[in-house]
Amino acid sequence: QQSFNRKLATATAALARQGGAHVTHIELADFDIPMYNADLEAIGTPPDVVRLKTLMFEHPAWIICTPEYNASYPALLKNTIDWCSSPVKADPAWADGMKPFRGKVVGMLSASPGAMGGLRAQNHLAPLLLNLQCWVAPQAFALGHAGDAFAADGSLASEVHQQSVQAVITQVLDAAQRFNAKPTVT
């Protein structure tokens, strides 16, 4: 409950809303998604996986706040990505496993009590997202020494940190707007 990345996600959502963005803040723990395996998949895709696929598809841009476990992103995130990228053979709408990912603009944030702020998790996550045909924003932010980074109200205490997160938000939203713009024909 006291996750630094949960706090960072909440602070990021607040900054994005203050800037006028429509935000859907999700927590992966709120979805009932079992550990992926082909035997379970053969029985049927869990309803929460389809619910998450739908959310992912409906949003042109995402910002992922990931913890760093053993110099990489956590198993919960990988498991979720594995399920959401798996085709649902019984449902033609989800027969394409890349559908929730293709063309999405993704910004990466992380927070850690260490000095590097979860940067190694981002370094492992970026190639996975690229493989899933996401556009990974070059602007990212790793919040080091996260134990001292938040004010009592949950906001980022440092204006420099706020500006760093805002830079990710701005780049992600600008890129999503450009990628989703309707071309004009003259």
Side-chain angles (χ1 to χ4, degrees):
Q1 293 301 312
Q2 297 303 314
S3 162
F4 296 133
N5 286 280
R6 178 173 284 127
K7 290 179 180 182
L8 180 58
T10 301
T12 301
L15 284 170
R17 284 185 186 108
Q18 288 170 10
H22 170 74
V23 176
T24 302
H25 181 170
I26 68 165
E27 299 263 347
L28 293 182
D30 293 340
F31 292 83
D32 185 16
I33 300 176
M35 289 301 295
Y36 177 83
N37 73 58
D39 293 334
L40 278 177
E41 183 181 33
I43 295 168
T45 301
D48 270 4
V49 171
V50 176
R51 184 169 68 103
L52 185 55
K53 282 177 175 270
T54 302
L55 276 171
M56 294 168 74
F57 179 74
E58 291 173 346
H59 291 76
W62 317 327
I63 295 179
I64 297 175
C65 295
T66 182
E68 180 179 283
Y69 295 170
N70 296 313
S72 191
Y73 51 86
L76 175 62
L77 180 55
K78 178 65 164 85
N79 185 63
T80 301
I81 289 170
D82 289 346
W83 269 113
C84 288
S85 64
S86 182
V88 182
K89 294 169 186 72
D91 185 347
W94 297 112
D96 176 3
M98 294 296 189
K99 182 178 175 179
F101 296 92
R102 188 179 295 111
K104 302 302 175 177
V105 178
V106 184
M108 295 185 301
L109 300 174
S110 56
S112 169
M116 292 177 64
L119 185 61
R120 295 174 296 184
Q122 292 181 24
N123 288 338
H124 285 190
L125 182 58
L128 175 61
L129 294 170
L130 290 168
N131 187 61
L132 293 167
Q133 302 178 17
C134 294
W135 294 93
V136 178
Q139 186 74 45
F141 178 60
L143 177 64
H145 307 290
D148 301 323
F150 298 94
D153 67 357
S155 65
L156 289 163
S158 163
E159 187 172 328
V160 170
H161 292 159
Q162 290 175 21
Q163 290 170 351
S164 296
V165 169
Q166 187 60 57
V168 175
I169 293 167
T170 300
Q171 188 173 67
V172 166
L173 293 176
D174 287 350
Q177 184 176 6
R178 288 174 192 223
F179 288 144
N180 291 295
K182 303 270 189 263
T184 57
V185 178
T186 57

